[in-house]
Each structure stands twice: as C-alpha cells, then as structure tokens.
C-alpha cells in the first residue's frame, strides 16, 4: 500500500519520479506528490487524485537532480492535498515519504505540538519531517536513525534534507524498500515496477536497515540501539522483462493478466511434474517423504482472494491427499491465540508476499514453534523470506488490484502440494498420473473459457444493472462462489453475497426477488441434483439465475425461464473449482466495463495491503 520512488543522479528528477509513480499507482491512488532538492533548496508538489494530474500540474521551474515521490492510500486523514506525501517540516529543510503506519503517532504529534510545532496535516508521517529537522545529530544518517529509534510501527521511508543535497536516506521496517543502481544515477523504490525501465541491478533492504544513496552509489547500515552500523549489501542483477510491467495492447492490466493465465499455469507446473512416479517436485519445500508423512493437518492462511483460493486448496488437499485441511483468514488468525500444532503444515498464501496480516500470522506460527511454508508470487518478498521455504507461483508481475493469474497459480500450487502429500499416503500411482494428466490439460482449458468471453457479455450487462446479487455453491463450489462475489464487489461495486446453496432456505431466500440475480456454481458432481433442486426454489420465487456448470448438466425447465448458462470444460472433480472461477473473472470484468469503471484502480482499494 502506497508507493515510494526516489532518484539522484545527472538528470532532472521530477519527470523520472512522475514516470516511476505512474508505475506504482496500483499501490495507492488517493493522492501523489514529489519533492526535489536543487540549488535553491527543497521544492514540493502534491495533490489529491492521480499521478497524471500531478505531472500535468507541476510548476515549470521544478528542477533538482535528487528527488522523492509517493503515491498514497490514505490511512491517517482524508485523501486531500495537505495529507498527500511528501511531508515537510514546513521550513523547507526536510521532506519525507513514508509507507506503513506509525503506531505511536498520536503521542509524537502531541509532543511536537507541546513544543510549539504547528502540524499541517492529519498524518502520522509528518512527525518524521519535524523530528529529523529538529535533530541535533550531525549527519543525516544519525538524524534519521535517532528519529526512527523513537518510532513504533512499520515504515519504508525516504528523506531529502536541504543541508545534505547529495543524498537520499532511506530505511525499512516492515514495508519494502530497494535501491536500484544505474550509470552515475541511483534509484530507490518500494517496488521493482518503479525502476525496472531504468535498472535491473537491485539491492533489497531488510527490516531494520538504512541506506545512504548518492549519485555514485549506496552504503547500507543496520539500525542498532547505538545508531547506524555499516553493513555490506551488494546489488544483484534481477532477471525480469520490463515489458511484464506494461499493459501493452490490452486496455487494462486485469484483462492482460486474465489472458496470461494459460501461460502462467504452464509456468507454475513447468519442471514440477514427475510423470513416471506420478508425483511432483517442489524444490523449495524442504520436506522429504518422512516429513510429508508426519504432517497430520494442513492449514492455509491468506487474506481476501488468497483466503478464498485457500479454501479451494483445502478441499483439494483433503480430497486428494486425505489429510485434514482447512483455510482461515490470516487477518483473524493471531488474534484468537491459535494453538500451533507441531504436526500441522501451515501454508501462508500471498501474491504480493507483503500482506501484513499474512506476514504476522507466519511470525505467530514461528514464534510458537510451528512449521510454515509460503505460497507466494513475488520472489524474495517478506512472507517468502519469513517462511524461508515454499512454492513460488511464477505468475509474473500482477499489477491489477483484482487478482486473477496469481490466484489460478495458487490453486495449481496447492494441487502440486496435494499430489506430493497424497503420493506418500494412499494416492496410487495411477491416481497420481491421472492428476498430472488433468493438470497438463488445464492451461488449454483455461484458454477455452477465455475464448468464450464474448458469449458472457450479455450476461455481464444484466449483472451490471443489478444492485445486489447472490453467488451460491456447495462444498468445492462454495469458495468459487465467494471468489466470484469478491471479484464483482471489488471492481464493479455491485453488492454481491456468497452463500452455501444449502443455507439459502435458512434465511437468505427471503431476499429473492426478480431484481436479485443469483450466480450459481453447479459442477457435475455428486451434489448436482441437490444444486439443481435449490435453483428451482429460487426460480419459483422469480429470482433470475446465471448457472456456471458443465456440459450435459440438465437444468430442465429452468432454461425456459430467466436462466442463463455458462459452461466450463470438465476436469478431475478436485480441479473443477479453478475452471469454474475463470468465467466469474470475465463476468466481473465485463460488468465493471459496462459500468465504465476504472477496473485496475477500484475505489478505496490498493494492491498489496501492508497495513493491519
Ligand atoms: C484480490 O482480488 C484482492 N485484491 C485481495 O483480496 C487480495 O487477494 C488480498 O489482499 C491478498 O493479497 P495477497 O495475495 O497479495 O496477500
């Protein structure tokens, strides 16, 4: 949440900062701002709204070859110009941008006010600028270190100081920060996306580290109780195609990422399937056959869509490996003082690898001696590092706030895990081979569904016109319904509630009217007849239906009424949920499009939730 970019070198900083911010905008788009340091001191421009507006409105003389920028997702105070970052000391000495939350901000603000400081904004961040300006330490590094030692909470920060125009000082505690190395120029950023056009030589800071960045290089420090202590951290070349961060010919990142799913699915499976022994190879798991046999339970932890796909994964693991498995919202986990069992495998699921709720859940598990792995997309991210082992998703960068391709790869990663857990138990060689064959077919089947997008459009138009909807499913279809409702809510702002189909008649059926459509997940499984019976109960009360199902499922006279049908290809029953999910992505996308909404930047949200 929120994005930071910084530049110091031989070029004018402002255009590079604006360009970098536009690539970070998915991380927060309530306001944006930049500060540059030049011969005449610091200059700041900031504005509520989009980066584009900030760029267009920059004063003509906004020169400086060092600068910092920020795109904000509001935590403290409304999204207005004053609360936008960078924040300053009000005297042109210090400018700071900050990701994260300062927990003791209220006390620090009160102390500053008592000293006669006039605070301009409602933010937690502003205290940093005043405190650094007031510090009597000699170097900027010592000033920043002194101030950060008084901060409780999380931060990725970057400081400019008029008395030290040759440097940017950055620090990290809980919010990512990296240094990018160029030719006589250096970058800082919270995310590779901001700098990848200029450099792929990168050094990631760890929590508790600080760096001085000048045009000629960088120096890193550990923030010890006694102050900053120099440490060596080398920049490394990262293998990433800058085009992966572009929407290219697609009208949005979400559309691009939906269509990348077949290729993404191939990537997560590549090199991991062992056809001969009917199992999978997961090098990063660090669990041998004995360890795998000792696992008595699997608990998947994630937030939002990562939680819902975790529910799909739990059902899959239980069904294939016959190991009890369940999923829980990582955001609730540690608050119920969970019992951590030594023979449970805890699986932290996260696209970004930054979601703080999931990260804290992993820390809670480790603190209590539990065994956690990560199922993560972003290599080297906080959750991946905290877990220390796991399965990378290889989905490529996911920029759209609404997760699609990462979610699909999460499901496939669970299938690979289930295969391994199953093969050291009762899953036979023949069953293992059957699962592998079905997995190999999935990329093509996903493509087949994507190819039907045009046929889904009229249904999406109707959904866009509804104020409120139900999504229903049973057992392995229920998490699909939850994810479908989530996608629709997220990008089209329709009110969508997911229920177990079996629960409808225990209450929610009262809401069925001709104005409330129900999207029903009806795979051709052991529950198909019961599912269809429930659809009749809805139709009998005038409720319009959209049924996501398999070819050959007989909906009888329902199809003569207000009932649309979307079909997905059959797979193994255990793998059905991911194929049933794809049309729901399309449906949500097209509904949002019909409503003319900004699909990649939905209201109030941001990619990567790095605050509690
Ligand atoms: C997905 O469409 C949502 N934007 C959101 O629920 C997301 O899945 C959740 O915040 C978890 O993110 P993560 O996978 O990066 O941890």
């Amino acid at each position: 949440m929120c994005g930071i970019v910084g530049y110091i070198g031989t070029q004018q900083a402002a255009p590079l900062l604006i360009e970098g911010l536009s690539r970070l905008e998915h991380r927060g788009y309530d306001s944006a701002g930049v500060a540059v340091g030049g011969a005449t001191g610091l200059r700041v421009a900031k504005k509520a709204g989009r980066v584009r507006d900030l760029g267009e409105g920059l004063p003509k003389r906004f020169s400086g070859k060092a600068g910092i920028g920020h795109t904000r997702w509001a935590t403290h105070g409304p999204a207005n110009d004053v609360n936008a970052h960078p924040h300053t000391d009000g005297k042109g000495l210090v400018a700071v941008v900050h990701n994260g939350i300062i927990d003791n901000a209220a006390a620090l603000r009160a102390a500053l006010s008592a000293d006669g400081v006039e605070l301009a904004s409602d933010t937690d961040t502003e205290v940093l600028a005043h405190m650094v300006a007031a510090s009597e330490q000699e170097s900027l590094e010592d000033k920043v270190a002194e101030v950060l030692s008084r901060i409780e909470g999380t931060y990725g920060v970057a400081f400019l100081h008029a008395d030290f125009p040759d440097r940017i000082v950055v620090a990290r505690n809980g919010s990512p920060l990296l240094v990018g190395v160029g030719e006589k120029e250096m970058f800082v950023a919270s995310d590779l996306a901001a700098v990848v056009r200029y450099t792929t030589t990168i050094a990631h800071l760890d929590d508790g580290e600080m760096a001085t960045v000048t045009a000629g290089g960088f120096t890193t420090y550990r923030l010890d109780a006694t102050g900053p202590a120099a440490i060596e951290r080398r920049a490394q070349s990262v293998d990433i195609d800058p085009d992966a961060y572009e929407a290219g010919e697609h009208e949005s990142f979400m559309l691009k990422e939906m269509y990348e799913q077949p290729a993404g699915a191939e990537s997560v499976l590549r090199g991991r399937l062992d056809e001969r022994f009917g199992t999978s190879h997961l090098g990063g798991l660090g669990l041998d056959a004995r360890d795998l046999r000792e696992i008595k339970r699997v608990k998947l932890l994630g937030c939002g869509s990562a939680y819902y796909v975790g529910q799909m994964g739990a059902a899959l693991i239980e069904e294939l490996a016959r190991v009890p498995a369940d999923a829980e919202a990582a955001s609730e986990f540690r608050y119920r003082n969970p019992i951590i069992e030594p023979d449970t495998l805890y699986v932290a699921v996260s696209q970004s690898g930054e979601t703080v709720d999931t990260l804290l859940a992993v820390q809670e598990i480790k603190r209590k001696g539990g065994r956690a792995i990560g199922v993560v997309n972003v290599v080297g991210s906080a959750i991946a590092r905290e877990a220390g082992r796991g399965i990378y998703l290889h989905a490529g960068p996911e920029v759209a706030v609404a997760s699609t391709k990462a979610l699909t790869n999460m499901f496939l990663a669970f299938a690979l895990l289930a295969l391994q857990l199953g093969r050291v138990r009762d899953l036979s060689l023949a069953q293992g081979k059957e699962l592998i064959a079905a997995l190999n077919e999935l990329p093509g089947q996903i493509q087949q569904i994507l190819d039907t997008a045009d046929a889904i459009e009229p249904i999406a138009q109707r959904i866009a016109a509804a104020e409120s909807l139900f999504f229903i499913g049973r057992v392995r279809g229920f998490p699909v319904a939850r994810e479908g409702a989530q996608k629709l809510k997220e990008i089209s702002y329709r009110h969508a509630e997911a229920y177990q189909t079996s629960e409808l008649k225990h209450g929610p059926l009262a809401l069925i009217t001709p104005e409330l459509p129900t999207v029903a997940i009806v795979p051709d499984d052991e529950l198909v007849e019961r599912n269809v019976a429930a659809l009749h109960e809805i139709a009998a009360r005038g409720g319009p239906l959209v049924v996501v199902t398999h070819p050959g499922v007989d909906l009888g006279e329902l199809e003569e009424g207000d009932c649309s049908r979307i079909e997905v290809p059959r797979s193994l029953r255990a793998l059905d949920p991911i194929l049933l999910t794809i049309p729901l992505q399309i449906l949500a996308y097209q509904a949002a499009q019909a409503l003319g909404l900004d699909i990649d930047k939905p209201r109030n949200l941001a990619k990567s939730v790095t605050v509690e």
Side-chain angles (χ1 to χ4, degrees):
M1 261 167 177
C2 305
I4 289 177
V5 64
Y7 172 83
I8 185 160
T10 53
Q11 306 183 59
Q12 286 300 323
L16 292 163
L17 296 175
I18 296 290
E19 153 81 9
L21 288 180
S22 68
R23 295 180 190 285
L24 290 183
E25 212 174 6
H26 58 291
R27 303 184 66 101
Y29 30 87
D30 289 333
S31 62
V34 289
V36 292
T40 53
L42 299 186
R43 310 194 71 192
V44 177
K46 52 187 195 169
K47 218 174 179 350
R50 296 298 164 87
V51 172
R52 190 185 49 240
D53 303 331
L54 175 75
E56 286 169 3
L58 272 190
K60 283 222 168 56
R61 289 165 184 271
F62 198 74
S63 61
K65 294 181 178 173
I68 52 178
H70 189 267
T71 172
R72 177 174 185 244
W73 185 83
T75 56
H76 292 64
N80 57 27
D81 293 355
V82 175
N83 288 333
H85 297 215
H87 287 284
T88 71
D89 63 320
K91 300 194 176 81
L93 197 61
V94 178
V96 60
V97 291
H98 165 226
N99 289 355
I101 291 203
I102 299 174
D103 294 334
N104 58 338
L108 295 170
R109 284 177 67 94
L112 285 166
S113 298
D115 286 349
V117 172
E118 277 190 28
L119 291 154
S121 75
D122 308 312
T123 66
D124 52 345
T125 304
E126 189 186 345
V127 298
L128 296 171
H130 291 287
M131 289 165 77
V132 167
S135 169
E136 288 176 0
Q137 297 289 337
E138 287 203 351
S139 70
L140 180 55
E141 292 74 9
D142 285 340
K143 289 176 192 289
V144 169
E146 179 189 77
V147 169
L148 293 180
S149 71
R150 295 174 57 197
I151 297 300
E152 291 163 22
T154 55
Y155 52 78
V157 276
F159 289 90
L160 278 185
H161 194 301
D163 291 347
F164 303 90
D166 65 335
R167 64 197 55 208
I168 302 171
V169 170
V170 296
R172 166 187 171 144
N173 184 39
S175 281
L177 216 94
L178 59 86
V179 178
V181 180
E183 274 290 313
K184 296 191 187 139
E185 59 184 7
M186 298 285 293
F187 299 83
V188 297
S190 54
D191 191 311
L192 203 52
V195 300
V196 77
R197 280 271 155 218
Y198 308 109
T199 178
T200 49
T201 307
I202 302 294
H204 288 273
L205 294 193
D206 267 338
D207 281 347
E209 289 182 5
M210 188 172 99
T212 302
V213 184
T214 64
F218 71 105
T219 317
T220 38
Y221 310 88
R222 184 117 215 113
L223 288 166
D224 289 340
T226 51
I231 52 162
E232 192 176 352
R233 185 164 289 289
R234 290 220 174 109
Q236 289 178 330
S237 173
V238 293
D239 181 20
I240 186 85
D241 173 10
D243 287 343
Y245 291 93
E246 307 285 345
E249 71 207 24
H250 296 280
E251 62 188 33
S252 70
F253 277 101
M254 184 178 170
L255 191 67
K256 174 185 179 233
E257 289 158 9
M258 273 171 21
Y259 279 88
E260 283 174 345
Q261 289 179 106
E266 279 173 13
S267 299
V268 71
L269 298 176
R270 189 169 301 128
R272 286 169 161 172
L273 294 172
D274 181 336
E275 318 248 350
R276 185 158 165 231
F277 292 104
T279 188
S280 63
H281 295 299
L282 296 167
L285 214 53
L287 300 171
D288 61 23
R290 198 166 130 194
D291 298 328
L292 289 167
R293 269 195 300 274
E294 279 171 3
I295 292 166
K296 297 280 180 295
R297 182 179 294 279
V298 179
K299 163 85 77 183
L300 297 105
L301 294 158
C303 296
S305 291
Y307 164 41
Y308 303 142
V309 74
Q311 285 193 310
M312 296 182 207
L316 171 83
I317 289 166
E318 204 161 283
E319 187 168 348
L320 293 173
R322 303 308 297 154
V323 180
D326 71 335
E328 185 173 336
S331 47
E332 290 288 287
F333 183 68
R334 74 188 180 290
Y335 289 110
R336 60 174 184 79
N337 193 15
I339 297 164
I340 301 299
E341 297 159 320
D343 47 11
T344 293
L345 180 67
Y346 294 90
V347 183
V349 188
S350 175
Q351 186 287 128
S352 60
E354 274 176 38
T355 302
V356 78
D357 288 314
T358 312
L359 178 64
L360 292 172
V362 176
Q363 287 170 352
E364 172 81 1
I365 293 160
K366 283 177 68 179
R367 198 173 57 76
K368 293 180 173 175
R371 176 167 30 190
I373 64 164
V375 169
V376 171
N377 195 34
V378 178
V379 175
S381 54
I383 293 170
R385 284 194 283 178
E386 188 68 48
R389 52 187 169 175
I391 309 173
Y392 276 125
L393 297 173
H394 301 308
E398 192 179 68
V399 175
V401 169
S403 183
T404 52
K405 62 176 182 174
L407 182 134
T408 295
N409 281 16
M410 286 169 185
F411 183 88
L412 296 179
F414 302 145
L416 293 170
L417 180 62
L419 187 55
Q420 233 177 67
L421 286 168
R423 288 292 288 128
V424 296
R425 293 181 171 72
D426 295 332
L427 194 80
S428 69
L429 176 62
Q431 287 171 311
K433 286 185 170 184
E434 190 188 15
L435 178 58
I436 288 175
L439 285 170
N440 279 328
E441 271 190 52
L442 280 181
Q445 292 178 314
I446 294 170
Q447 185 62 54
Q448 242 176 287
I449 302 170
L450 293 168
D451 290 343
T452 64
D454 285 352
I456 297 176
E457 199 154 354
I459 306 173
Q461 299 272 355
R462 271 203 73 188
I463 285 200
E467 274 302 314
S468 225
L469 295 101
F470 281 169
F471 280 69
I472 58 169
R474 292 193 76 164
V475 187
R476 55 176 93 81
F478 177 53
V480 177
R482 294 190 88 181
E483 171 55 14
Q486 158 97 340
K487 277 287 148 314
L488 191 72
K489 277 187 272 213
E490 224 179 347
I491 58 171
S492 78
Y493 319 149
R494 300 297 91 188
H495 174 233
E497 289 296 328
Y499 287 104
Q500 282 123 331
T501 311
S502 50
E503 282 290 302
L504 270 191
K505 56 188 176 296
H506 296 293
L509 202 60
L511 293 176
I512 294 289
T513 67
E515 277 70 52
L516 188 134
T518 297
V519 180
I521 312 304
V522 185
D524 190 7
D525 61 9
E526 60 282 2
L527 288 166
V528 65
E529 280 161 21
R530 287 182 190 281
N531 271 324
V532 173
L535 300 190
H536 279 284
E537 290 162 10
I538 295 167
R541 286 153 183 89
L545 289 166
V546 175
V547 186
V548 185
T549 188
H550 286 126
V553 167
D554 183 8
L555 299 179
E557 66 222 35
L558 284 173
E559 300 212 52
E560 288 155 31
D562 192 351
C563 174
S564 313
R565 180 180 182 122
I566 299 172
E567 289 185 351
V568 301
R570 284 163 199 278
S571 180
L572 275 190
R573 280 185 179 175
L575 300 182
D576 278 340
I578 200 59
L579 292 177
L580 292 159
T581 300
I582 309 291
L584 304 184
Q585 298 172 348
I586 300 171
L587 209 53
Y589 184 87
Q590 292 174 340
Q593 203 182 30
L595 291 161
L597 298 169
D598 186 347
I599 292 175
D600 283 341
K601 297 186 185 70
R603 187 171 69 196
N604 303 340
L605 301 179
K607 193 80 175 162
S608 305
V609 184
T610 54
V611 295
E612 269 196 83

